[in-house]
Amino acid sequence: MTNKGLLIIFSGPSGTGKGTVLKSYFANHQEAKLSVSATTRAPRLGEQNGREYYFISKEKFAEMKSHNELLESAEYCGNCYGTPRAPIESWLEQGFDVFLEIEVQGGAQVRRLEPDSVGIFILPPSVKTLGERLRGRGTESEEVVQSRLKAAKHEIEQAVNYDYAVVNDTVEKATAEIAEIIHAEKHKTSRNPALIERVLNYD
Ligand code: ADP
Ligand code: 5GP
């Protein structure tokens, strides 16, 4: 029987490089899936509906929430974000590891609902570097950059509520560290009761 996959809460301030690092991780990990969130924010240049996000209206978001279709949801810098519940359980049952790339309020909600989930917090090398990366990405106005940098300090304080912290200094190193974390998590005795039973019961 396939082992159930891991549910991974992947958080860190906007601009840290979460998307970049996950892209690199997913390139070599076909056993992992990335949850596609719903959001009320406008698409950035190059973003596609159903790929980066489901871009929906505030009314539709409220409707999904009231129909209990979201596993978690939060408001971040004036926009709503939420994780569609339906695909997650199915992927986990099929043995896929599922990454939720979500901010800290949503992360806390998932942690309460799914205590067995794994929390990984991704940190920038410094707040100065974070500002440079956010501006370097060139996708937000200076006003939005300021609002995200303001949110970043509070978010970084929440890193202690996560199981692991990874600094994204280089994409290669951060990607390798995430792979090591997932690998070690899968060897936890609590996740392998059948393995221990099997060795005990067979010569
Ligand atoms: P997030 O998903 O956390 O908001 P992104 O993945 O969009 O962040 O990365 C923000 C910017 O930083 C992008 O322009 C990206 O190319 C750059 N970046 C990401 N990781 C690194 C890194 N390790 N070193 C230098 N630049 C990086
Ligand atoms: P961005 O607008 O840069 O794509 O995302 C802003 C923040 O919202 C990021 O920290 C991102 O991780 C978070 N986010 C994206 N999707 C979700 C979601 O479904 N739920 C929550 N709580 N946060 C999300």
Side-chain angles (χ1 to χ4, degrees), residues 12 14 18 37 41 44 53 72 74 76 81-83 101-103 106 137 148:
S14 177
K18 299 182 297 298
S37 297
R41 94 153 156 70
R44 292 179 188 137
Y53 282 105
E72 61 73 38
Y76 177 85
Y81 296 84
T83 302
E101 199 236 279
I102 60 178
E103 54 67 68
R137 188 167 68 187
R148 287 180 174 225

Side-chain angles (χ1 to χ4, degrees), residues 12-21 44 101 122 133-134 136-138 148 168-171:
S14 177
T16 308
K18 299 182 297 298
T20 307
V21 170
R44 292 179 188 137
E101 199 236 279
I122 178 147
R133 286 188 187 166
L134 256 183
R137 188 167 68 187
R148 287 180 174 225
N168 178 21
D169 37 20
T170 72
V171 175

